[in-house]
Amino acid sequence: MQLVLKNCCSEKNLHASSSTVKNVYKNKTYYPELRTLTKNFYICSRKVFDISVFLTRKGLKTRYMGVLNTLLTHKTNKKNTMEQKTIETKISVYRFDELSEEFQNLLSKAKAQCENAYAPYSNFRVGAAILLENGEIVGGSNQENAAYPSGLCAERTAMFYANSQFPNTAIKALAIAAWTNGKFLAEPVAPCGACRQVLLETANRFHDFPVLLYGTDAVYVAENSKDLLPLNFAKESLG
Ligand code: THU
């Protein structure tokens, strides 16, 4: 279940009507998190916000925490004049057979790389394939270690390999796939934060590139790797 609360923290969306909140509250039997949410909501603000609630399929908890933080921020900001910035990331969703031959091929290479993973601790095999501007494709897989933090993700293994073997060649596209419990993930797998940071460095060094996230149900395509790490820390941040 996913709970999305819209516009609950800007002044113009403060309303005296509590009907929507009551509707949320009515659902508490089915969605216990909502009870806490509305409780905190009242405690924090003592005002009623206009809340649009959409229940879809996933991530209720995460969204809920996000909203709670917003409300707490609101409480300390009495005049409610805080500027808000919205960061959007555009991801295109494709079926595998809708993709170009080049992208299908790259995804197949990423899937094949899962076989090379060394993942005896997590049994979670990740494969990455990088298409370079010179047409070469290099691969990588996650390499674990008994001293857990010494292991490395598939994406960074592939990125560092590509950048060390072809130091002057830009990346054209990156594909990722993950395999566990005898099958590829149905939901597209996304790179971890540390890997996104490494993608950012390479994108800044040469130019940005698309990232393809494989899932058996769908393939997500981020046109620009930098979109996966908004509000980031890069060379310019060092001043
Ligand atoms: N892993 C990756 O290879 N890439 C990611 O982006 C996420 C996680 C690996 C690290 C570890 O070997 C295993 O998946 C479980 O976290």
Side-chain angles (χ1 to χ4, degrees):
M1 285 294 161
Q2 184 171 22
L3 175 71
V4 181
L5 289 129
K6 282 201 163 171
N7 303 327
C8 59
C9 196
S10 76
E11 198 163 13
K12 65 179 166 43
N13 287 305
L14 285 172
H15 290 301
S17 152
S18 64
S19 58
T20 324
V21 175
K22 277 187 193 138
N23 282 341
V24 175
Y25 205 72
K26 264 199 302 196
N27 282 329
K28 67 187 177 193
T29 339
Y30 308 107
Y31 311 113
E33 287 91 344
L34 294 181
R35 188 176 26 206
T36 328
L37 174 64
T38 43
K39 219 192 263 165
N40 278 313
F41 181 78
Y42 279 116
I43 291 165
C44 289
S45 70
R46 298 196 187 285
K47 283 197 179 197
V48 179
F49 292 83
D50 180 19
I51 299 180
S52 314
V53 179
F54 300 95
L55 296 171
T56 56
R57 290 183 104 197
K58 272 182 217 128
L60 175 61
K61 195 121 194 166
T62 320
R63 285 292 184 146
Y64 156 62
M65 288 309 295
V67 169
L68 196 58
N69 288 342
T70 313
L71 294 175
L72 291 172
T73 309
H74 173 76
K75 188 188 174 193
T76 55
N77 191 23
K78 289 197 182 98
K79 285 193 174 156
N80 200 28
T81 52
M82 181 179 67
E83 185 194 350
Q84 287 192 309
K85 292 188 177 182
T86 305
I87 301 174
E88 288 184 346
T89 299
K90 205 180 92 193
I91 304 277
S92 307
V93 182
Y94 293 95
R95 284 195 324 267
F96 184 81
D97 59 16
E98 288 175 327
L99 293 162
S100 68
E101 210 175 301
E102 188 175 59
F103 280 3
Q104 286 189 14
N105 182 37
L106 197 62
L107 283 160
S108 303
K109 293 263 164 42
K111 287 169 73 180
Q113 282 294 324
C114 292
E115 283 179 33
N116 298 342
Y118 175 66
Y121 304 103
S122 69
N123 290 314
F124 190 82
R125 294 167 164 267
V126 186
I130 293 172
L131 173 63
L132 295 166
E133 283 294 2
N134 65 8
E136 292 259 0
I137 293 182
V138 301
S141 54
N142 54 330
Q143 300 295 315
E144 296 186 349
N145 194 286
Y148 294 174
S150 303
L152 198 62
C153 291
E155 297 89 325
R156 272 175 291 164
T157 307
M159 295 293 292
F160 290 148
Y161 181 72
N163 290 335
S164 56
Q165 294 305 301
F166 302 93
N168 300 313
T169 310
I171 286 173
K172 199 171 170 195
L174 163 72
I176 310 162
W179 188 96
T180 192
N181 294 325
K183 52 184 187 306
F184 287 101
L185 298 197
E187 292 240 343
V189 62
C192 78
C195 288
R196 292 175 200 212
Q197 186 70 35
V198 171
L199 302 189
L200 172 73
E201 189 73 29
T202 306
N204 285 343
R205 189 169 156 191
F206 300 103
H207 58 67
D208 213 343
F209 52 88
V211 180
L212 320 175
L213 313 175
Y214 181 76
T216 52
D217 286 354
V219 176
Y220 288 173
V221 179
E223 295 300 334
N224 295 302
S225 68
K226 285 159 88 168
D227 288 349
L228 295 174
L229 195 63
L231 207 63
N232 53 53
F233 188 91
K235 195 167 136 195
E236 301 70 43
S237 319
L238 293 169

mmCIF file of all heavy atoms in Angstrom, residues 118-119 122 124-126 141-144 152-155 176 189-192 195, ligand 1:
data_model
loop_
_atom_site.group_PDB
_atom_site.id
_atom_site.type_symbol
_atom_site.label_atom_id
_atom_site.label_comp_id
_atom_site.label_asym_id
_atom_site.label_seq_id
_atom_site.Cartn_x
_atom_site.Cartn_y
_atom_site.Cartn_z
ATOM 1 N N TYR A 118 30.117 -13.099 -7.065
ATOM 2 C CA TYR A 118 30.580 -13.892 -5.921
ATOM 3 C C TYR A 118 29.767 -13.382 -4.736
ATOM 4 O O TYR A 118 30.076 -12.336 -4.163
ATOM 5 C CB TYR A 118 32.087 -13.690 -5.716
ATOM 6 C CG TYR A 118 32.604 -14.388 -4.485
ATOM 7 C CD1 TYR A 118 32.592 -15.781 -4.397
ATOM 8 C CD2 TYR A 118 33.102 -13.655 -3.408
ATOM 9 C CE1 TYR A 118 33.058 -16.425 -3.257
ATOM 10 C CE2 TYR A 118 33.572 -14.293 -2.267
ATOM 11 C CZ TYR A 118 33.538 -15.672 -2.200
ATOM 12 O OH TYR A 118 33.989 -16.311 -1.070
ATOM 13 N N ALA A 119 28.674 -14.087 -4.436
ATOM 14 C CA ALA A 119 27.738 -13.575 -3.427
ATOM 15 C C ALA A 119 27.305 -14.682 -2.462
ATOM 16 O O ALA A 119 26.111 -14.949 -2.289
ATOM 17 C CB ALA A 119 26.523 -12.959 -4.118
ATOM 18 N N SER A 122 25.061 -13.041 0.660
ATOM 19 C CA SER A 122 23.703 -12.512 0.438
ATOM 20 C C SER A 122 22.906 -13.383 -0.519
ATOM 21 O O SER A 122 21.682 -13.300 -0.558
ATOM 22 C CB SER A 122 23.780 -11.099 -0.136
ATOM 23 O OG SER A 122 24.281 -11.136 -1.466
ATOM 24 N N PHE A 124 22.564 -12.777 -3.357
ATOM 25 C CA PHE A 124 21.921 -11.773 -4.206
ATOM 26 C C PHE A 124 22.932 -11.396 -5.278
ATOM 27 O O PHE A 124 23.945 -10.755 -4.994
ATOM 28 C CB PHE A 124 21.548 -10.565 -3.340
ATOM 29 C CG PHE A 124 20.670 -9.561 -4.012
ATOM 30 C CD1 PHE A 124 19.292 -9.754 -4.080
ATOM 31 C CD2 PHE A 124 21.207 -8.403 -4.575
ATOM 32 C CE1 PHE A 124 18.480 -8.815 -4.698
ATOM 33 C CE2 PHE A 124 20.396 -7.472 -5.189
ATOM 34 C CZ PHE A 124 19.034 -7.683 -5.249
ATOM 35 N N ARG A 125 22.665 -11.869 -6.478
ATOM 36 C CA ARG A 125 23.648 -11.697 -7.547
ATOM 37 C C ARG A 125 23.275 -10.514 -8.430
ATOM 38 O O ARG A 125 22.167 -10.491 -8.980
ATOM 39 C CB ARG A 125 23.687 -12.964 -8.411
ATOM 40 C CG ARG A 125 24.192 -14.156 -7.658
ATOM 41 C CD ARG A 125 23.927 -15.449 -8.404
ATOM 42 N NE ARG A 125 24.751 -16.489 -7.834
ATOM 43 C CZ ARG A 125 25.959 -16.818 -8.294
ATOM 44 N NH1 ARG A 125 26.445 -16.233 -9.361
ATOM 45 N NH2 ARG A 125 26.658 -17.752 -7.691
ATOM 46 N N VAL A 126 24.184 -9.580 -8.534
ATOM 47 C CA VAL A 126 23.922 -8.396 -9.358
ATOM 48 C C VAL A 126 24.912 -8.381 -10.523
ATOM 49 O O VAL A 126 26.089 -8.688 -10.352
ATOM 50 C CB VAL A 126 24.068 -7.097 -8.524
ATOM 51 C CG1 VAL A 126 23.642 -5.888 -9.343
ATOM 52 C CG2 VAL A 126 23.252 -7.185 -7.243
ATOM 53 N N SER A 141 30.248 -7.676 -11.694
ATOM 54 C CA SER A 141 29.260 -8.320 -10.824
ATOM 55 C C SER A 141 29.661 -8.045 -9.385
ATOM 56 O O SER A 141 30.810 -7.658 -9.121
ATOM 57 C CB SER A 141 29.224 -9.822 -11.092
ATOM 58 O OG SER A 141 30.524 -10.356 -10.976
ATOM 59 N N ASN A 142 28.736 -8.253 -8.464
ATOM 60 C CA ASN A 142 29.085 -7.976 -7.067
ATOM 61 C C ASN A 142 30.061 -9.018 -6.543
ATOM 62 O O ASN A 142 29.961 -10.208 -6.859
ATOM 63 C CB ASN A 142 27.847 -7.837 -6.175
ATOM 64 C CG ASN A 142 26.899 -8.991 -6.230
ATOM 65 O OD1 ASN A 142 26.785 -9.656 -7.249
ATOM 66 N ND2 ASN A 142 26.203 -9.254 -5.141
ATOM 67 N N GLN A 143 31.013 -8.536 -5.765
ATOM 68 C CA GLN A 143 32.080 -9.379 -5.235
ATOM 69 C C GLN A 143 32.097 -9.220 -3.724
ATOM 70 O O GLN A 143 32.508 -8.182 -3.208
ATOM 71 C CB GLN A 143 33.428 -8.949 -5.848
ATOM 72 C CG GLN A 143 33.489 -9.057 -7.368
ATOM 73 C CD GLN A 143 33.372 -10.506 -7.846
ATOM 74 O OE1 GLN A 143 34.021 -11.398 -7.299
ATOM 75 N NE2 GLN A 143 32.541 -10.743 -8.859
ATOM 76 N N GLU A 144 31.587 -10.236 -3.037
ATOM 77 C CA GLU A 144 31.455 -10.117 -1.577
ATOM 78 C C GLU A 144 32.711 -10.598 -0.865
ATOM 79 O O GLU A 144 33.618 -11.164 -1.482
ATOM 80 C CB GLU A 144 30.207 -10.889 -1.128
ATOM 81 C CG GLU A 144 28.951 -10.261 -1.720
ATOM 82 C CD GLU A 144 27.658 -10.883 -1.214
ATOM 83 O OE1 GLU A 144 27.704 -11.938 -0.559
ATOM 84 O OE2 GLU A 144 26.599 -10.289 -1.494
ATOM 85 N N LEU A 152 32.264 -5.406 -2.987
ATOM 86 C CA LEU A 152 31.906 -4.278 -3.861
ATOM 87 C C LEU A 152 30.709 -4.626 -4.740
ATOM 88 O O LEU A 152 30.557 -5.768 -5.192
ATOM 89 C CB LEU A 152 33.105 -3.894 -4.745
ATOM 90 C CG LEU A 152 33.043 -2.516 -5.388
ATOM 91 C CD1 LEU A 152 33.006 -1.403 -4.347
ATOM 92 C CD2 LEU A 152 34.205 -2.293 -6.340
ATOM 93 N N CYS A 153 29.874 -3.637 -4.968
ATOM 94 C CA CYS A 153 28.689 -3.801 -5.822
ATOM 95 C C CYS A 153 29.097 -4.020 -7.281
ATOM 96 O O CYS A 153 30.175 -3.597 -7.715
ATOM 97 C CB CYS A 153 27.829 -2.545 -5.782
ATOM 98 S SG CYS A 153 27.017 -2.237 -4.213
ATOM 99 N N ALA A 154 28.164 -4.603 -8.011
ATOM 100 C CA ALA A 154 28.385 -4.869 -9.434
ATOM 101 C C ALA A 154 28.647 -3.584 -10.224
ATOM 102 O O ALA A 154 29.549 -3.532 -11.072
ATOM 103 C CB ALA A 154 27.158 -5.565 -10.002
ATOM 104 N N GLU A 155 27.874 -2.553 -9.929
ATOM 105 C CA GLU A 155 27.982 -1.316 -10.709
ATOM 106 C C GLU A 155 29.358 -0.688 -10.558
ATOM 107 O O GLU A 155 29.967 -0.245 -11.526
ATOM 108 C CB GLU A 155 26.927 -0.295 -10.260
ATOM 109 C CG GLU A 155 25.495 -0.726 -10.463
ATOM 110 C CD GLU A 155 24.939 -1.504 -9.267
ATOM 111 O OE1 GLU A 155 25.711 -2.262 -8.643
ATOM 112 O OE2 GLU A 155 23.751 -1.359 -8.978
ATOM 113 N N ILE A 176 21.704 -2.808 -15.487
ATOM 114 C CA ILE A 176 21.852 -3.554 -14.224
ATOM 115 C C ILE A 176 20.746 -4.607 -14.136
ATOM 116 O O ILE A 176 19.592 -4.337 -14.506
ATOM 117 C CB ILE A 176 21.709 -2.619 -13.008
ATOM 118 C CG1 ILE A 176 22.609 -1.387 -13.135
ATOM 119 C CG2 ILE A 176 22.038 -3.332 -11.718
ATOM 120 C CD1 ILE A 176 22.186 -0.258 -12.219
ATOM 121 N N VAL A 189 15.817 -3.490 -10.507
ATOM 122 C CA VAL A 189 16.761 -3.277 -9.412
ATOM 123 C C VAL A 189 17.417 -1.910 -9.612
ATOM 124 O O VAL A 189 17.699 -1.507 -10.732
ATOM 125 C CB VAL A 189 17.813 -4.413 -9.385
ATOM 126 C CG1 VAL A 189 18.644 -4.459 -10.658
ATOM 127 C CG2 VAL A 189 18.743 -4.283 -8.181
ATOM 128 N N ALA A 190 17.609 -1.193 -8.514
ATOM 129 C CA ALA A 190 18.202 0.152 -8.619
ATOM 130 C C ALA A 190 19.557 0.175 -7.929
ATOM 131 O O ALA A 190 19.775 -0.542 -6.955
ATOM 132 C CB ALA A 190 17.270 1.170 -7.973
ATOM 133 N N PRO A 191 20.480 0.978 -8.431
ATOM 134 C CA PRO A 191 21.809 1.038 -7.812
ATOM 135 C C PRO A 191 21.777 1.673 -6.418
ATOM 136 O O PRO A 191 20.965 2.569 -6.166
ATOM 137 C CB PRO A 191 22.625 1.909 -8.776
ATOM 138 C CG PRO A 191 21.642 2.657 -9.585
ATOM 139 C CD PRO A 191 20.364 1.878 -9.586
ATOM 140 N N CYS A 192 22.656 1.219 -5.548
ATOM 141 C CA CYS A 192 22.717 1.781 -4.196
ATOM 142 C C CYS A 192 23.278 3.206 -4.259
ATOM 143 O O CYS A 192 23.801 3.640 -5.296
ATOM 144 C CB CYS A 192 23.575 0.900 -3.289
ATOM 145 S SG CYS A 192 25.347 1.125 -3.519
ATOM 146 N N CYS A 195 26.961 3.627 -5.333
ATOM 147 C CA CYS A 195 27.161 3.420 -6.777
ATOM 148 C C CYS A 195 26.673 4.637 -7.557
ATOM 149 O O CYS A 195 27.292 5.050 -8.537
ATOM 150 C CB CYS A 195 26.437 2.166 -7.243
ATOM 151 S SG CYS A 195 27.252 0.670 -6.661
HETATM 152 N N1 THU B 1 24.560 -4.910 -4.597
HETATM 153 C C1 THU B 1 25.027 -4.544 -5.807
HETATM 154 O O1 THU B 1 25.883 -5.222 -6.391
HETATM 155 N N2 THU B 1 24.529 -3.418 -6.358
HETATM 156 C C2 THU B 1 23.615 -2.617 -5.767
HETATM 157 O O2 THU B 1 23.327 -1.544 -6.276
HETATM 158 C C3 THU B 1 22.969 -3.028 -4.544
HETATM 159 C C4 THU B 1 23.580 -4.185 -3.836
HETATM 160 C C5 THU B 1 25.117 -6.109 -3.975
HETATM 161 C C6 THU B 1 25.976 -5.850 -2.778
HETATM 162 C C7 THU B 1 25.867 -7.159 -2.033
HETATM 163 O O3 THU B 1 26.836 -8.038 -2.536
HETATM 164 C C8 THU B 1 24.499 -7.680 -2.403
HETATM 165 O O4 THU B 1 24.071 -6.951 -3.537
HETATM 166 C C9 THU B 1 23.479 -7.528 -1.307
HETATM 167 O O5 THU B 1 23.422 -6.235 -0.865
#
